[in-house]
Amino acid sequence: ITSVRALMQKTLPRQRFVSGIRQLRTGQIIDMDRLLRHWVHVGYDPVAVVEAPGQFSQRGGILDIYPLDAPWPTRIELFGDEIESLRAFDPATQRSVDGGTALLERIVVPPAREAMPGELRDLGQVLAEEAPPRDDDLPSWQDDVPALAAGSGSPHLEYYLPLIYNRADSLLDYLPEDALVVVDDEEQVALTAAEHSAHAEQLAAEQASLPPGYRSPLHAWLDLDARLSYRPRLTLGEGANGQPAGDETRVGDLAAHFQPGPRFGGQIQPLLTHLSQALRHGERTVVVSRQAPRLSELWREQGPAAADRSLIADVLAAYRAVDGVSDVPAPESLTFVHGSLSEGFVLERFPENMVLLNLLTDAELFGWNRPAPRRRRPSRPIAPETFFADIVAGDHVVHLEHGIGVFLGLVVRSVGGMEREYLQVEYSNGDILYVPVHHADRLSRWVGAEDRPPTLSRLGDRGWGQAKARARQAVDELADQLIELYAARESVAGHAFATDSEWQAEMEAGFPYQETDDQLQAIAEVKADMERTQPMDRLICGDVGYGKTEVALRAAFKAVMDGRQVAILVPTTVLAQQHYLTFRERLRPFPVQVEMLSRFRTQAHQERIVRNLRAGQVDIVIGTHRMLSDDVSFKDLGLLIIDEEQRFGVRHKETLKRMRTEVDVLTMTATPIPRTLYMGLSGARDISVIATAPSERLPVQTYVGEFDETLLKRAILRELERGGQVFLVHNRVQTIDIVRRRLRRLVPEAELAVGH
């Protein structure tokens, strides 16, 4: 499966790729020097320790190689020139996988780059002779010339691929001769190819300096299309002329029978109306949803008294023709199926335009679909170096027994005739402490509340022990206060919520994402606390976007199902609006009244909400500091949810304390204050940590540097070329227009907008 752009991209000729593959077996005799030169030639980087694909290392008679397509790197142990064993190992721990029991019989090492460094040596020498003198310090292809001439690696090797091979291949050259090629929407494919070609020509025209003789890095689409015509080809959708394709290799006429289903955007009444009309017209309808039981219940309550049970013979004929089914049970004309599909469709028969089947899924009903289940990754042992991996030489560190010192680095010392690695730490008066690597867990980075460096401890001095004793005493005093507070709280008889109802399961099934393991654990712990007689006081700690809101939503729904009110306190009006929209959308199919108290509401609207709260007509209220006003009261408050507690002041927290003695409390935060976090970690408060990122979530990459217009332009153009958007944050409203004019000059092709 590939895209138009990837297919057009020139790549390594297939013969060169095949000639660059090496296969290694146990018992094989090798020439080590020749093998290492070959690995460098095909793009593998020599390193001290192999950690990523495309790297190799040598230590005596041991070779480590991480093939580009392998799940694990391989350790090759030699006996002279003979391969004695091949063993997969974990790059994080440098230990063998499965305890060393999984020996390999052979490995295949393909080229690591599409442009092999060894084939760039001659090109580098030619470019070195033709390179014009530099008149600026901007990054250029000329910076790569020394590395190319030496035949060593460079991150920009593929940039020079059109110069190396007069006849570069495409993905089509790697396919077998009889491979079936399926083209999805041929007309759109041709348009996209034309856009990529025009964009490449525009970039080449704007580029001030290109290497001599540089050719287009893309194959012409006309050439690729001509080559596709000689292959077994299946075209889905319409042909290039916009008409349904009709020859034996196209299924445009079949595709024309399928149309996208209607979209309801969570509106239940239009859905029920559509189902009734489909029944009256004798159309077969199947609804596949994670909320099928709830939808079926709504249909029974509001739908027609008797549904048409007739079976359309054409539907069975279509099933038999498409799926080869010989015996299909007679279904009802309307069927609700509890499950998940990515998207639905309407199947029609021409020329009478008769609808054979309406397939509706959550994509049509609510605008989302459920992703594939998350794969569980096996836990891996923690390597000793993990404890000091983020500490660099010069950092202040704290040793559990000896106090604060300066980390000098990792050293190797010989003790008793054996060489071992030690962490070197310098203390006051030049004292040096050598910490064995296997004791690295006793060392941690120093974290202080002030910017100035700490006072170094002295080895053997009693000061560090006295400091720890004072800290213990302060902790004991705080613990006494907390014990009194929480003892009083434990003595208060709270409300024990009932177990999950049927609606609870249906509401949770409507979650449009796959829950992470941490999320499921936090949800289970919150529900267990709510079902106890003691009031809950649990802290949910997790990064932004890790699913804390879903935990709060399920807890709130559980409280409402037991007849209690829920208050959600947030620090800002924007966050209140966000939570309000989320709760209202998710709870729309259920009889739950959700309101919001903030400055986004008029004074009259706020007064009406306060009256309804007091009367018990509001189930869930989401509000800012306005909810802590004296005029706000509840008829039967059962759950208080606080988002980012550290954002509230002392006076507000005193109000919260009075509320906490009577109701279950759930606190959510991404950045807990030290006291709150310590209380959770020490067991004084219950804590649930959501540390697993959702599926497909990528980490944010951060780069820090001086302002550089060239770097800024490249970053913006790269994002625009990807089809994305760019946000540039400026710190002054008064001068933001100057930045806009500068951006207009740098990237005139971009559409700019200013907001603050």
Side-chain angles (χ1 to χ4, degrees):
I1 300 178
T2 187
S3 65
V4 178
R5 178 172 179 173
L7 183 63
M8 296 176 67
Q9 189 78 35
K10 291 181 179 179
T11 188
L12 181 68
R14 186 176 185 274
Q15 275 189 329
R16 301 290 183 95
F17 179 82
V18 173
S19 64
I21 297 176
R22 290 293 182 271
Q23 187 174 144
L24 302 176
R25 295 177 177 274
T26 304
Q28 181 178 344
I29 304 299
I30 65 169
D31 184 336
M32 181 184 293
D33 293 337
R34 186 177 179 181
L35 180 63
L36 297 183
R37 286 197 304 269
H38 172 77
W39 284 347
V40 173
H41 177 87
V42 298
Y44 286 86
D45 297 325
V47 295
V49 179
V50 171
E51 296 177 330
Q55 297 177 343
F56 76 91
S57 69
Q58 176 198 6
R59 297 186 305 279
I62 297 178
L63 297 178
D64 290 346
I65 179 74
Y66 204 150
L68 210 64
D69 61 338
W72 302 100
T74 301
R75 180 154 294 154
I76 306 170
E77 297 179 352
L78 301 175
F79 183 76
D81 294 335
E82 181 183 354
I83 298 179
E84 186 175 35
S85 67
L86 299 171
R87 193 187 308 270
F89 69 93
D90 187 341
T93 63
Q94 297 293 309
R95 298 188 179 98
S96 298
V97 178
D98 297 335
T101 59
L103 294 176
L104 306 175
E105 290 296 326
R106 69 182 184 96
I107 62 169
V108 177
V109 183
R113 303 293 295 265
E114 290 184 69
M116 293 192 251
E119 299 187 353
L120 291 169
R121 186 178 293 108
D122 295 339
L123 173 65
Q125 294 172 357
V126 173
L127 293 178
E129 298 173 358
E130 300 183 2
R134 299 290 301 278
D135 57 356
D136 54 48
D137 295 329
L138 297 179
S140 170
W141 61 272
Q142 295 154 326
D143 299 330
D144 295 327
V145 169
L148 298 178
S152 57
S154 166
H156 314 120
L157 291 183
E158 283 71 20
Y159 177 78
Y160 302 95
L161 192 145
L163 292 175
I164 310 173
Y165 310 111
N166 292 325
R167 180 174 171 76
D169 282 355
S170 72
L171 180 61
L172 293 179
D173 297 283
Y174 283 77
L175 299 180
E177 290 298 328
D178 58 346
L180 173 66
V181 178
V182 181
V183 181
D184 186 13
D185 198 344
E186 184 176 7
E187 183 179 12
Q188 188 62 39
V189 164
L191 291 175
T192 304
E195 292 177 0
H196 287 319
S197 298
H199 188 54
E201 294 174 1
Q202 179 186 358
L203 289 179
E206 295 176 354
Q207 188 68 261
S209 174
L210 285 173
Y214 192 79
R215 293 180 288 271
S216 172
L218 300 180
H219 288 284
W221 176 250
L222 291 178
D223 296 338
L224 294 175
D225 192 41
R227 296 178 58 190
L228 281 173
S229 63
Y230 291 101
R231 288 182 169 273
R233 180 172 170 181
L234 182 68
T235 301
L236 303 179
E238 296 179 340
N241 58 357
Q243 299 297 326
D247 59 72
E248 66 278 5
T249 63
R250 298 171 181 259
V251 289
D253 50 349
L254 175 60
H257 289 269
F258 288 87
Q259 303 295 334
R263 301 275 173 165
F264 300 98
Q267 301 293 324
I268 301 300
Q269 192 57 48
L271 169 64
L272 299 177
T273 302
H274 176 80
L275 296 178
S276 299
Q277 292 175 350
L279 283 178
R280 285 198 300 271
H281 291 90
E283 299 174 2
R284 171 88 173 94
T285 303
V286 177
V287 179
V288 181
S289 172
R290 303 294 297 185
Q291 297 199 43
R294 174 60 177 158
L295 293 173
S296 177
E297 181 180 347
L298 291 174
W299 169 255
R300 289 194 302 270
E301 293 175 356
Q302 304 183 38
D308 180 14
R309 307 296 181 184
S310 63
L311 171 65
I312 303 176
D314 291 325
V315 176
L316 295 181
Y319 279 135
R320 293 190 181 100
V322 176
D323 295 333
V325 178
S326 59
D327 184 17
V328 180
E332 298 179 351
S333 295
L334 174 61
T335 306
F336 291 91
V337 180
H338 183 74
S340 177
L341 290 176
S342 60
E343 199 170 7
F345 55 81
V346 176
L347 176 60
E348 299 178 338
R349 190 179 70 182
F350 298 128
E352 60 269 31
N353 291 333
M354 178 180 181
V355 176
L356 301 181
L357 177 64
N358 291 294
L359 178 62
L360 300 177
T361 68
D362 286 323
E364 288 78 29
L365 303 182
F366 305 107
W368 52 262
N369 51 16
R370 194 172 181 85
R374 185 183 183 91
R375 296 181 179 178
R376 296 177 180 269
R377 296 184 178 180
S379 58
R380 299 179 179 177
I382 300 177
E385 58 269 19
T386 304
F387 294 101
F388 60 88
D390 60 339
I391 304 176
V392 298
D395 287 351
H396 287 87
V397 295
V398 180
H399 192 280
L400 194 61
E401 286 86 15
H402 303 290
I404 302 174
V406 178
F407 179 63
L408 299 182
L410 192 66
V411 298
V412 178
R413 293 178 60 86
S414 179
V415 178
M418 297 182 61
E419 289 190 348
R420 293 184 178 179
E421 291 182 321
Y422 294 88
L423 306 175
Q424 188 176 9
V425 183
E426 181 180 9
Y427 286 86
S428 180
N429 294 338
D431 296 338
I432 300 295
L433 177 68
Y434 294 96
V435 182
V437 171
H438 59 275
H439 287 170
D441 56 328
R442 303 183 184 181
L443 209 62
S444 61
R445 183 194 294 271
W446 176 82
V447 179
E450 301 177 357
D451 294 334
R452 61 183 182 183
T455 302
L456 300 184
S457 305
R458 294 183 59 180
L459 289 180
D461 190 27
R462 299 174 57 188
W464 177 248
Q466 294 172 352
K468 291 198 296 183
R470 290 193 299 269
R472 289 194 189 96
Q473 182 179 357
V475 170
D476 290 341
E477 294 175 357
L478 177 61
D480 290 339
Q481 300 173 9
L482 294 177
I483 287 174
E484 294 178 3
L485 173 64
Y486 283 91
R489 181 175 172 80
E490 288 291 327
S491 63
V492 175
H495 176 76
F497 290 91
T499 56
D500 287 356
S501 62
E502 182 179 348
W503 280 5
Q504 182 82 26
E506 295 179 9
M507 188 279 297
E508 294 179 359
F511 184 47
Y513 306 102
Q514 184 69 32
E515 299 93 339
T516 63
D517 295 339
D518 290 349
Q519 252 186 312
L520 295 174
Q521 179 68 22
I523 292 169
E525 292 171 348
V526 169
K527 289 182 178 180
D529 288 351
M530 294 178 67
E531 293 171 6
R532 294 170 51 205
T533 55
Q534 286 81 15
M536 174 179 68
D537 190 4
R538 180 168 292 275
L539 171 67
I540 305 293
C541 186
D543 202 355
V544 177
Y546 276 36
K548 301 187 298 294
T549 302
E550 181 64 19
V551 179
L553 191 148
R554 298 187 182 189
F557 190 77
K558 183 180 180 68
V560 172
M561 290 298 99
D562 208 34
R564 307 299 292 270
Q565 291 176 299
V566 179
I568 304 175
L569 187 62
V570 298
T572 64
T573 52
V574 174
L575 189 57
Q577 180 74 14
Q578 178 181 335
H579 282 333
Y580 174 67
L581 295 176
T582 300
F583 274 66
R584 190 179 64 175
E585 183 66 25
R586 287 290 306 281
L587 303 181
R588 187 191 302 262
F590 303 94
V592 178
Q593 184 66 30
V594 182
E595 288 290 355
M596 178 180 67
L597 265 180
S598 74
R599 61 182 178 86
F600 285 170
R601 296 285 193 240
T602 63
Q603 185 64 34
H605 198 171
Q606 292 185 34
E607 293 176 357
R608 184 167 67 253
I609 293 174
V610 170
R611 288 197 304 270
N612 292 339
L613 271 176
R614 194 179 302 116
Q617 298 175 1
V618 174
D619 299 307
I620 301 175
V621 60
I622 303 169
T624 56
H625 302 75
R626 172 69 177 87
M627 206 160 60
L628 299 176
S629 304
D630 295 336
D631 63 329
V632 177
S633 60
F634 298 83
K635 180 180 180 180
D636 193 4
L637 181 63
L639 176 64
L640 172 63
I641 301 174
I642 306 173
D643 199 356
E644 302 296 344
E645 180 186 25
Q646 73 278 5
R647 300 280 296 275
F648 294 94
V650 175
R651 182 171 61 87
H652 303 124
K653 290 184 178 180
E654 290 302 319
T655 305
L656 297 179
K657 288 180 181 178
R658 291 195 298 270
M659 299 176 69
R660 285 187 175 193
T661 59
E662 304 170 0
V663 298
D664 285 17
V665 178
L666 182 65
T667 305
M668 304 184 300
T669 181
T671 54
I673 56 178
R675 188 191 66 166
T676 300
L677 180 60
Y678 179 79
M679 290 167 63
L681 297 178
S682 63
R685 292 181 64 177
D686 296 322
I687 183 172
S688 298
V689 179
I690 303 179
T692 305
S695 179
E696 304 297 331
R697 180 185 174 96
L698 299 178
V700 176
Q701 297 182 1
T702 304
Y703 303 92
V704 180
E706 296 182 1
F707 182 80
D708 184 346
E709 284 192 352
T710 303
L711 185 64
L712 179 64
K713 179 178 180 179
R714 288 186 176 182
I716 293 176
L717 288 179
R718 173 169 298 199
E719 183 65 17
L720 295 182
E721 185 179 357
R722 188 189 66 83
Q725 292 176 298
V726 178
F727 288 84
L728 190 147
V729 182
H730 182 60
N731 62 346
R732 290 287 184 274
V733 174
Q734 291 82 356
T735 57
I736 197 169
D737 199 53
I738 299 176
V739 178
R740 182 188 62 81
R741 291 196 296 270
R742 180 181 294 183
L743 279 179
R744 173 66 65 193
R745 176 175 53 83
L746 285 177
V747 282
E749 63 270 36
E751 294 289 339
L752 299 182
V754 176
H756 56 72

